[in-house]
């Protein structure tokens, strides 16, 4: 059976797509799945940096597509998990070096070999976005609780729906509970209500994320981190495990909804 | 238990959700009460399901459909995703002025291009919808989306984007929505920007119309 192809996208830049890909890829690999992460952010690659593999790159995504190497040659194996790979983006090429059809074919081939193919999408809704979503059958839309990020997420969801990619899930990243409580930040409830796609999880704002990015070690390796736990729960849901939304982890707003309905 | 052909509303399970088939002779209030009771009896059952309303046998006013929408949402956690109509879609939209649905059906069906445009999904940021007559949206209009209609705009959801009714200059055009908290609303040649600050959520639905040369939003 073919593996799952998942694109992580957002519209607005810098909201946490690459962080999400690195962490859920790592968790799924820890759960013994074979995983390949594809950096489709051509010209602005950074998945390799987050994974701490920057200095090992020889070939990249564009090389595979142009036939300059076999896809196995471009795959970098993770430093800790031997069933986790990344295919880096080309740093020096333009986005139009790749066609959506070519991405689709590559994803199809990868899905034959791997349980999960996770694609890191560039910001924006132009060519790079179209390439990144072309081969995916599941989309994860990442947003922060800011009006501009939510507006872009909404736009992207509309474009995904129009391109018949209807299996869409939402991650709210960088939530600051203190600010939500004070009414200075939009709550998860409001965001889900507006975007009307199912919630995969909520990741709190945390310094741990920045530290792990700089160390090149995904957060989920660190047991104590709250943001890391949030990504573990997200990946488990993606893996089909039933993880209830729970106030102890800050994603418990659904419980409150249910209570309202029960009267 | 009443035999099913005389129930005020039959609720049929389909592959995609549920279909409501209302009895053609039962008064609307009875249909609504019955529906509410059924939903309350089986709360969890309808949670998050999508419901279609089969209106081919029986004409509904816009406000009646809005009430059904509310009851489904409040008592069943379900959403009204589709209203099934006859080929000519225009007749039931006009019943709110008290005219008999059948009369308006006859008079309207002569003008084919008057059929309202029905959009069956949420209008998201960046989308623009242009309707030659009335426009009916079964979903929210999100910030950054724009709906433009020569006639009325009816939103079975929250209006948070831009809506322009009576775009051809018709000042009697109206905007209906479960809640109106838009970026901007326009009717004919008038433009209104909502006041800043939060307002309480309305009980049923809201209408924007021109009163004394100003756009006013009334909560019913
Ligand atoms: N939950 C969080 N708490 C604190 N900082 C975060 C969090 N998530 C992401 N960041 C930081 O935000 C920055 C951007 O994250 P990331 O690179 O994952 O975003 P992106 O969406 O991939 O960006 P781009 O659009 O440029 O590709 C990084 O410096 C990262 O460490
Ligand atoms: Mg990135």
């Amino acid at each position: 059976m073919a593996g799952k192809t998942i694109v992580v996208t957002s519209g607005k830049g810098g909201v946490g797509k690459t962080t999400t890909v690195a962490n859920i890829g790592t968790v799924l690999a820890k759960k013994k799945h074979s995983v390949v992460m594809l950096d489709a952010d051509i010209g602005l690659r950074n998945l390799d940096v987050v994974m701490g593999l920057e200095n090992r790159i020889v070939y990249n995504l564009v090389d595979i597509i142009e036939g300059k190497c076999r896809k196995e040659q471009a795959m970098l194996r993770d430093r800790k998990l031997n069933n986790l790979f990344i295919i880096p983006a080309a740093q020096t090429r333009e986005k139009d070096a790749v066609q959506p059809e070519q991405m689709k074919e590559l994803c199809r081939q990868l899905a034959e070999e791997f349980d999960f193919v996770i694609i890191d999408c560039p910001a924006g809704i132009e060519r790079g976005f179209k390439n990144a979503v072309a081969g995916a059958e599941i989309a994860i839309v990442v947003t922060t609780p800011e009006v501009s990020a939510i507006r872009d997420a909404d736009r992207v969801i509309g474009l995904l729906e129009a391109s018949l990619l209807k299996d869409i899930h939402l991650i709210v990243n960088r939530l600051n509970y203190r600010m939500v409580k004070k009414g200075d930040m939009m709550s998860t409830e409001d965001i889900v209500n507006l975007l009307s796609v199912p919630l995969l999880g909520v990741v709190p704002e945390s310094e741990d994320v920045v530290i792990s990015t700089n160390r090149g070690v995904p957060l989920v390796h660190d047991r104590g981190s709250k943001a890391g736990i949030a990504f573990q729960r997200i990946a488990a849901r993606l893996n089909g495990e039933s993880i209830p939304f729970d106030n102890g982890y800050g994603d418990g707003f659904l419980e409150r909804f249910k209570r309202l309905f029960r009267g | 238990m009443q035999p099913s052909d005389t129930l005020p509303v039959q609720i049929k399970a389909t592959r995609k959700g549920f279909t409501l088939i209302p009895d053609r002779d039962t008064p609307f209030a009875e249909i609504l009460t019955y529906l509410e009771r059924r939903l309350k009896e089986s709360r969890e059952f309808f949670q998050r399901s999508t419901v279609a309303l089969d209106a081919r046998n029986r004409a509904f006013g816009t406000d009646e459909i809005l009430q059904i929408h509310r009851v489904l949402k409040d008592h069943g956690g379900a959403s009204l995703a589709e209203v099934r109509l006859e080929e000519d879609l225009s007749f039931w939209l006009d019943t709110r002025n008290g005219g008999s649905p059948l009369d308006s059906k006859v008079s309207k069906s002569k003008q084919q291009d008057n059929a309202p445009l029905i959009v069956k999904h949420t209008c998201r940021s960046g989308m623009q919808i242009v309707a030659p007559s009335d426009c009916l949206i079964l979903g929210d209009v999100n910030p950054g989306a724009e709906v433009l209609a020569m006639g009325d705009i009816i939103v079975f959801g929250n209006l948070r984007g831009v809506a322009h009714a009576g775009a051809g200059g018709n000042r009697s055009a109206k905007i209906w929505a479960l809640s109106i908290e838009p970026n901007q609303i326009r009717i004919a040649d008038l433009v209104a920007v909502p006041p800043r600050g939060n307002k309480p959520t309305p009980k049923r639905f809201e209408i924007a119309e021109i009163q004394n040369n100003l756009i006013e939003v009334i909560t019913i």
Side-chain angles (χ1 to χ4, degrees), chain A residues 150-159 161 190 193-197 254 257-258 261-263, chain B residues 43-44 47-48 73-77 121-127 140 142-144 158 160 183:
Chain A
I150 295 164
R151 182 90 54 108
D152 287 359
D154 191 41
R155 180 90 207 261
V156 158
I157 293 166
L159 294 171
E161 285 171 344
D190 292 339
N193 203 327
L194 183 93
L195 296 176
S196 52
V197 290
L254 283 176
F257 262 134
K258 274 193 212 140
F261 278 122
R262 289 203 193 96
Chain B
R43 271 174 243 188
E44 301 297 328
Q47 221 35 267
R48 286 163 192 273
K73 197 161 180 209
D74 291 351
H75 300 289
H121 55 76
T122 299
C123 298
R124 298 188 181 275
S125 175
M127 288 182 187
D140 295 337
N142 281 355
N158 301 315
R160 299 185 177 111
N183 295 132

